[in-house]
Amino acid sequence: MSTTTQNIKIEKSGTSKIDQVDFSNLAFGSIFTDHMYICDFKNGEWQTPVIKPYGPILMDPSAKVLHYGQAVFEGMKAYKADDDKIWMFRPDENQKRINISAVRLQMPEFPKELFYEGLETLLKLDRDWIKKGEGNAMYIRPFMIASEPGMSASPATEYKFMFLLSPVQSYFKGGGGDVKVLFADKYSRSASGGVGFAKAAGNYAGQFFPTALAQEQGYQQIVWTDASTHTNLEEAGVMNVFFRVGDTLLTAPNSDRILDGITRKSILEVAKDEGIKVEVRNVTVYEIEEAAKNGTLKEMFGAGTAAVVNPITGFGFKGNDYELPKLKTDDSYAILLRKRITDIQNNKVEDKFGWRYLVKE
Ligand code: COI
């Protein structure tokens, strides 16, 4: 069946795959809902968007994204609260950030009105896929790719902007708690003047090889350091990182090498609201190593949309391994901050920061 809202052409899927899904056992990003959204950019403008059954898309093999990686994306989440309403968390931040990334990759910006209209229509269509309850969420993947055929290494004139929906639980297997990280001392994720601050697809591909080497040594993630000195701890690629030394929470300042994380900035605000002392400044590998040795390093955790707030249990640096102490639940900043943020996301508490966004029926 095909219908058209004012601006979106909707082709509904004849059957739903929902009954084949085990929602209690979801590997991150492996299951997709019945529908997806596509809007093409051609002749200098965005065309009428389409929502259609989830499935492969047709692209010319010379499409520039396949050769030059002209692609940007976002990660967002929607939640179903106890009253069955659907909420998003700070979607304005993702909407702005994908355009910041697009500009850096010489791609057209995607209009705000289309972004909200497309996403809300898709979420409502596949609303049965959004499950209530702790840890459940709908991961939303907005992305834009250069679809124009042609091998000249120049920006495309044709693009596709899409939304995919994927029901998720936790990002790391086992619900978090077992992430050990390696501090980078050889490879780099980004450099000053580069694209590290953008959610450019290539930023992720570039991490796969060093991360695979780290995984062979028993670490799940790398905490990247600045490319010139490998001294300042920057981010972990799929999450920003926080350190608790004594009772002070430390994290690196934003720069053109670091993703301006939405969970990161939310944590900074919630931590200040909790009266936690926060320092946003360069954090060196040496001070964290020293703090681990003298017992003042109490916690490390990662923060991101997919990972939420994920405790880090230990780190390795230049051949030495350090384990973090096991804190009692009520002494852990990670647990406190995760609860405050997920309670806001799931409409369980008052949203004093104005971060929740209701998907209107
Ligand atoms: C997110 O947290 O949404 C991310 O972008 C991480 C993703 C690459 C899994």
Side-chain angles (χ1 to χ4, degrees), residues 28 73 75 139 141 171 199 204 238 304-307:
F28 182 88
F73 73 96
Y139 187 75
R141 173 51 59 85
Y171 183 69
K199 254 180 128 55
Y204 295 78
V238 296
T305 298

Side-chain angles (χ1 to χ4, degrees), residues 37-344:
Y37 168 100
I38 310 182
C39 188
D40 286 321
F41 183 87
K42 267 188 204 149
N43 305 322
E45 54 189 18
W46 291 101
Q47 308 292 310
T48 304
V50 181
I51 289 181
K52 57 197 260 182
Y54 184 91
I57 52 170
L58 200 60
M59 257 196 324
D60 193 281
S62 72
K64 293 196 181 200
V65 64
L66 302 176
H67 301 268
Y68 305 118
Q70 204 186 3
V72 294
F73 73 96
E74 269 305 318
M76 317 171 57
K77 277 182 179 165
Y79 309 84
K80 195 181 273 174
D82 291 339
D83 59 4
D84 276 342
K85 294 206 167 95
I86 304 170
W87 300 89
M88 289 195 272
F89 184 68
R90 309 190 78 176
D92 51 319
E93 294 285 339
N94 300 91
Q95 187 274 322
K96 282 187 240 153
R97 196 172 62 183
I98 198 162
N99 285 336
I100 292 172
S101 301
V103 167
R104 179 62 181 83
L105 277 274
Q106 191 56 28
M107 301 167 95
E109 292 180 53
F110 191 63
K112 182 175 171 183
E113 315 73 63
L114 292 187
F115 186 96
Y116 279 97
E117 184 195 41
L119 181 50
E120 293 189 56
T121 308
L122 185 65
L123 282 169
K124 281 187 275 189
L125 193 60
D126 283 341
R127 61 171 300 130
D128 291 349
W129 291 76
I130 313 175
K131 297 297 175 195
K132 295 183 208 175
E134 174 147 7
N136 288 322
M138 180 61 75
Y139 187 75
I140 303 163
R141 173 51 59 85
F143 66 108
M144 196 199 308
I145 52 176
S147 49
E148 186 198 12
M151 297 262 196
S152 75
S154 56
T157 57
E158 292 176 14
Y159 296 88
K160 284 185 186 299
F161 186 100
M162 300 185 59
F163 289 112
L164 307 180
L165 302 181
S166 176
V168 294
Q169 293 164 310
S170 57
Y171 183 69
F172 293 102
K173 282 195 205 85
D178 25 33
V179 175
K180 246 178 84 183
V181 298
L182 182 65
F183 290 173
D185 66 355
K186 176 175 178 196
Y187 295 100
S188 300
R189 172 185 174 274
S190 65
S192 297
V195 297
F197 67 94
K199 254 180 128 55
N203 283 345
Y204 295 78
Q207 299 178 66
F208 293 163
F209 174 68
T211 304
L213 296 180
Q215 285 170 348
E216 278 168 22
Q217 298 171 58
Y219 306 99
Q220 282 77 44
Q221 293 280 300
I222 295 179
V223 177
W224 299 102
T225 48
D226 65 290
S228 39
T229 66
H230 292 299
T231 301
N232 295 313
L233 292 157
E234 301 208 313
E235 65 150 287
V238 296
M239 38 189 202
N240 297 102
V241 273
F242 286 81
F243 307 87
R244 174 182 176 185
V245 177
D247 283 332
T248 304
L249 197 57
L250 309 173
T251 197
N254 278 333
S255 74
D256 57 359
R257 300 186 301 269
I258 298 184
L259 186 83
D260 181 9
I262 298 161
T263 311
R264 170 189 177 278
K265 67 173 84 163
S266 307
I267 283 179
L268 289 174
E269 286 195 53
V270 171
K272 283 183 201 153
D273 188 59
E274 282 289 334
I276 294 171
K277 183 160 177 250
V278 173
E279 289 179 15
V280 178
R281 61 162 174 84
N282 288 335
V283 182
T284 72
V285 287
Y286 303 110
E287 73 174 292
I288 295 304
E289 196 175 34
E290 181 49 34
K293 285 182 185 156
N294 69 26
T296 52
L297 180 66
K298 291 198 188 161
E299 283 185 89
M300 280 171 55
F301 57 87
T305 298
V308 196
V309 176
N310 204 94
I312 293 172
T313 54
F315 70 93
F317 180 56
K318 291 193 195 270
N320 294 318
D321 270 310
Y322 301 89
E323 257 190 53
L324 273 92
K326 290 193 181 41
L327 295 184
K328 289 206 201 88
T329 306
D330 56 5
D331 189 29
S332 158
Y333 284 178
I335 290 173
L336 170 74
L337 296 168
R338 178 166 61 196
K339 178 154 174 34
R340 283 233 22 210
I341 291 203
T342 54
D343 279 353
I344 295 175

